């Protein structure tokens, strides 16, 4: 880019690219700087095992990308990004060949829960009926503050979401199937499930399965990142890869800088320009458990005992709710368990383009103590084998990545924490520090735009979009938020 840009974005994950596109929509010259050799952050797809087998290295299933206001405005189909939906959004196998499954239809899901069907409808019908308003409010509320639409549905959500998921499922349900279905979804949050707010994540993800589904990007998550980069370049922006930023003075003279990084990385880059009070708050910001991930090449689909599980995109392999809670409590407390909660995805169930004809890819991860180098391959494969006898016989190749390797691959994953900070109640209310506008930093013109800001983790782009809106208003005097430019 000839001359200095109007704005620089450090980091090219979904939030960084979303912020860059919002700034570019205002006619600004935007440069994105990425330390890795290709853009995307957690939205990368690589041949980790064998040529022709494409594995999503982190983010793979995208209910938020299907529902979030930023990506609705971005209009994925017009950018050549196709979301593919499995017949069953997610499944939770149980011992004895049983399983709980979540389908796109709320009614069909409720019918499959037997005696708990009526309670399931009572919990989710208000949310699904007003699903878009609920999602829009919680993704953008840092800018709007109070709900103006679907107040009843949002209140229903808030009252049930604040406690822990154990309280929620015991209040509503009696069967192992219904309790496991919601508990397994809540465990995506990487928190001890006895803590407040875990009910909320189970409700949001459960509702999204019926509202927009749990789709994958055909061909891999990298295609979503590539579409965002292409859109930015078509507006005169650029993405520079292979350059790690260590000092914000590199951008002196650039009016606005957005950081899709950890709060700690910002403090290091800013040096003595950060006041002691802000630095202390950042030092207290807590990162959660890490992950240990395995990617497999399989000779055939996973032979789940329950045939419904074979049609699911996502599988929560964890036994009943009691076992799920125990598994997540162990990692949160710094312990290893031989029966972990396993979060698994079967991309080739719905997207055969991920592998050569007749081949299959499959991945899973477990939560481990923060920064733990432990190898969980055997524990993961034992859990899958428990509900899919013969699974080990289908393995052709595997690639593994422990928590330290996750951080080395993406510095935002401190200690293997892929959420860029624990999603506890305190840290969701004051993320990353307790101030009215948490996107602003003590350095003029510098804004945090990562999942360490509200509304937190997931591929929704809202953190970057919200930060860009603040920068447009404060730095460039743009009061009316510009619409994203349509596909060329």
């Amino acid at each position: 880019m000839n001359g200095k840009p109007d704005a620089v974005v450090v980091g090219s994950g979904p939030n960084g690219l979303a912020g860059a596109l919002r700034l570019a929509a205002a006619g600004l010259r935007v440069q994105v700087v990425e330390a890795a050799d290709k853009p995307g952050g957690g939205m990368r797809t690589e041949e980790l095992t064998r040529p022709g087998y494409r594995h999503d290295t982190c983010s793979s299933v995208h209910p938020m990308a299907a529902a979030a206001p930023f990506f609705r405005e971005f209009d994925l189909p017009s950018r050549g990004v196709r979301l593919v939906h499995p017949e069953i959004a997610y499944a939770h196998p149980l011992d004895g060949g049983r399983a709980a499954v979540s389908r796109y239809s709320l009614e069909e899901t409720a019918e499959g829960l037997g005696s708990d069907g009526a309670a399931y409808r009572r919990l989710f019908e208000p949310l699904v009926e007003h699903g878009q308003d609920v999602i829009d409010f919680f993704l953008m509320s840092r800018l709007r503050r109070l709900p103006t639409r679907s107040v009843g549905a949002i209140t229903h959500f808030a009252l049930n979401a604040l406690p822990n998921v154990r309280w929620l499922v015991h209040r509503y349900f009696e069967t192992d199937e219904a309790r496991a279905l919601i508990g397994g979804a809540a465990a995506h949050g990487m928190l001890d499930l006895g803590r407040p707010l875990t009910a909320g994540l189970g409700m949001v993800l459960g509702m999204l399965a019926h509202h927009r589904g749990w789709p994958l990007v055909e061909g891999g998550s990298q295609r979503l990142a590539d579409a965002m980069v292409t859109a930015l370049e078509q507006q005169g922006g650029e993405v520079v890869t292979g350059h790690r930023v260590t000092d914000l003075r590199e951008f002196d003279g650039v009016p606005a800088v957005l950081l899709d990084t950890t709060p700690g990385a910002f403090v290091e880059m800013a040096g003595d320009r950060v006041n002691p009070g802000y630095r202390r708050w950042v030092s207290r910001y807590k990162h959660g458990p890490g992950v240990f991930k395995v990617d497999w090449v399989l000779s055939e689909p996973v032979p789940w005992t329950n045939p419904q599980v074979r049609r699911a995109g996502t599988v929560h392999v964890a036994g009943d709710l009691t076992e799920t809670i125990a598994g997540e409590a162990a990692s949160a407390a710094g312990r290893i368990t031989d029966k972990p909660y396993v979060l698994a995805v079967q991309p080739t169930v719905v997207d055969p383009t991920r592998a050569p004809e007749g081949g299959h890819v499959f991945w899973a991860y477990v939560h481990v103590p923060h920064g733990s180098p432990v190898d969980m391959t055997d524990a993961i494969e034992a859990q899958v084998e428990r509900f899919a006898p013969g699974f080990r016989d289908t393995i052709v190749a595997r690639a593994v990545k422990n928590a330290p390797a996750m951080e080395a691959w993406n510095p935002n994953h401190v200690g293997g924490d892929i959420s860029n900070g624990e999603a506890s109640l305190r840290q969701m209310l004051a993320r990353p520090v307790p101030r009215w506008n948490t996107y602003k930093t003590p350095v003029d013109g510098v804004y945090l735009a990562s999942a360490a800001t509200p509304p937190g983790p997931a591929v929704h782009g809202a953190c970057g979009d919200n930060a860009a809106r603040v920068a447009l208003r404060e730095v460039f005097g743009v009061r009316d938020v510009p619409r994203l430019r349509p596909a060329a």
Side-chain angles (χ1 to χ4, degrees):
M1 183 174 288
N2 293 324
K4 285 191 180 295
D6 300 309
V8 166
V9 178
V10 179
S12 66
N15 286 307
L17 292 173
L21 285 166
R22 184 65 68 188
L23 295 170
L28 302 177
R29 287 157 42 89
V30 183
Q31 181 184 68
V32 177
V33 182
E34 168 59 51
D37 60 0
K38 66 178 179 180
M43 295 189 302
R44 281 183 270 173
T45 305
E46 300 174 356
E47 294 181 337
L48 299 174
T49 51
R50 293 188 171 186
Y53 290 88
R54 293 197 290 273
H55 306 269
D56 290 327
T57 49
C58 186
S59 179
S60 189
V61 181
H62 299 289
M64 277 295 186
F70 176 86
F71 285 110
R72 296 201 316 273
E73 186 182 341
F74 186 65
D75 189 12
L76 297 179
S78 74
R79 316 281 181 174
V81 178
R82 181 170 178 248
L83 298 180
V84 290
H85 293 260
E87 178 185 347
I88 292 172
Y90 64 99
H92 194 121
L94 295 164
D95 292 314
R98 299 172 296 150
V101 301
S102 178
R103 301 176 182 271
Y104 185 76
S105 166
L106 185 150
E107 187 60 36
E108 290 179 8
T109 302
E111 288 177 2
L113 294 175
S115 60
D116 275 333
Y120 189 87
R121 284 189 290 269
R122 188 167 67 252
L123 178 61
F124 282 106
E125 275 181 346
L127 303 180
V128 175
E129 183 180 353
H130 301 280
Q132 207 55 68
D133 289 340
V134 172
I135 292 299
D136 288 1
F137 172 71
F138 285 103
L139 291 185
M140 304 297 287
S141 62
R142 297 293 295 190
L143 304 177
R144 285 206 302 262
R145 311 310 302 175
L146 296 176
T148 57
R149 296 178 299 186
S150 303
V151 176
I154 291 172
T155 302
H156 169 75
F157 173 83
L159 292 175
N160 285 289
L162 285 175
N164 63 59
V165 74
R166 184 202 296 268
W167 172 89
L168 178 74
V169 299
H170 280 88
R171 179 187 181 194
Y172 278 87
F173 306 121
E174 297 180 354
T175 66
D176 287 343
E177 286 79 1
R179 289 175 175 176
L181 196 66
I182 308 306
H188 281 238
M190 302 175 66
L191 282 176
D192 182 331
L193 295 177
R195 296 181 66 176
L197 212 62
T198 51
L201 186 57
M203 291 175 67
V204 166
L205 290 176
M207 180 271 284
L208 281 169
H210 310 307
H211 173 56
R212 294 278 180 164
W214 283 26
L216 290 81
V217 176
E218 186 177 53
S221 296
Q222 185 73 51
R223 292 193 176 179
L224 176 53
D226 291 346
M228 298 176 80
V229 170
T230 297
L232 180 65
E233 291 174 342
Q234 289 172 344
Q235 297 172 65
E238 72 171 358
V239 178
V240 177
T241 58
H243 177 68
R244 184 179 299 277
V245 177
T246 59
D247 193 330
L248 288 179
R249 287 177 294 186
E250 177 179 338
F251 307 121
D252 284 352
V254 176
V257 178
L258 270 60
L259 303 177
D260 185 5
T261 68
T262 66
F266 156 66
V267 168
E268 290 181 8
M269 288 186 281
D272 59 9
R273 285 182 285 180
V274 174
N275 62 65
Y278 190 95
R279 188 181 293 273
R280 278 195 299 272
W281 276 111
V282 167
S283 71
R284 297 169 186 158
Y285 186 70
K286 184 176 180 181
H287 287 273
V291 302
F292 180 95
K293 183 172 183 283
V294 185
D295 287 274
W296 294 275
V297 170
L298 305 181
S299 61
E300 60 185 77
V302 181
W304 302 104
T305 301
N306 189 293
Q308 293 188 97
V309 183
R310 301 176 190 180
R311 305 197 299 275
T314 302
V315 185
H316 302 144
V317 191
D320 62 14
L321 179 68
T322 299
E323 185 178 319
T324 302
I325 290 174
E328 291 303 272
S331 60
R335 295 182 283 105
I336 298 295
T337 175
D338 60 355
K339 286 190 175 181
Y341 163 85
V342 178
L343 197 164
V345 175
Q346 309 181 112
T348 38
V349 165
V350 69
D351 182 12
T353 71
R354 303 291 187 101
E357 185 175 356
H360 300 272
V361 295
F362 178 56
W363 69 255
Y365 69 66
V366 295
H367 303 145
V368 296
H370 183 84
S372 171
V374 68
D375 187 329
M376 295 292 289
T377 305
D378 288 343
I380 293 173
E381 292 183 355
Q383 281 286 67
V384 177
E385 183 83 16
R386 170 182 166 192
F387 299 101
F391 164 67
R392 286 193 174 101
D393 296 333
T394 72
I395 298 173
V396 176
R398 69 168 67 83
V400 304
K401 191 175 282 154
N402 63 16
M406 290 295 290
E407 180 175 355
W409 173 77
N410 186 336
N412 280 7
H413 299 165
V414 176
D417 172 15
I418 60 175
S419 296
N420 201 343
E422 185 181 77
S424 64
L425 177 60
R426 182 184 71 81
Q427 289 199 167
M428 294 303 285
L429 292 174
R431 189 174 183 89
V433 299
R435 57 191 307 174
W436 180 254
N437 188 331
T438 57
Y439 306 104
K440 293 182 64 173
T441 74
V443 180
D444 288 344
V446 177
Y447 301 87
L448 279 175
S450 68
T453 63
V459 178
H460 43 57
C463 306
D465 192 14
N466 291 348
R469 291 168 185 245
V470 175
L472 285 171
R473 184 178 67 247
E474 295 189 348
V475 178
F476 301 101
V478 177
R479 296 290 175 181
D480 296 326
V481 178
R483 298 284 298 174
L484 298 178
R485 297 185 187 182

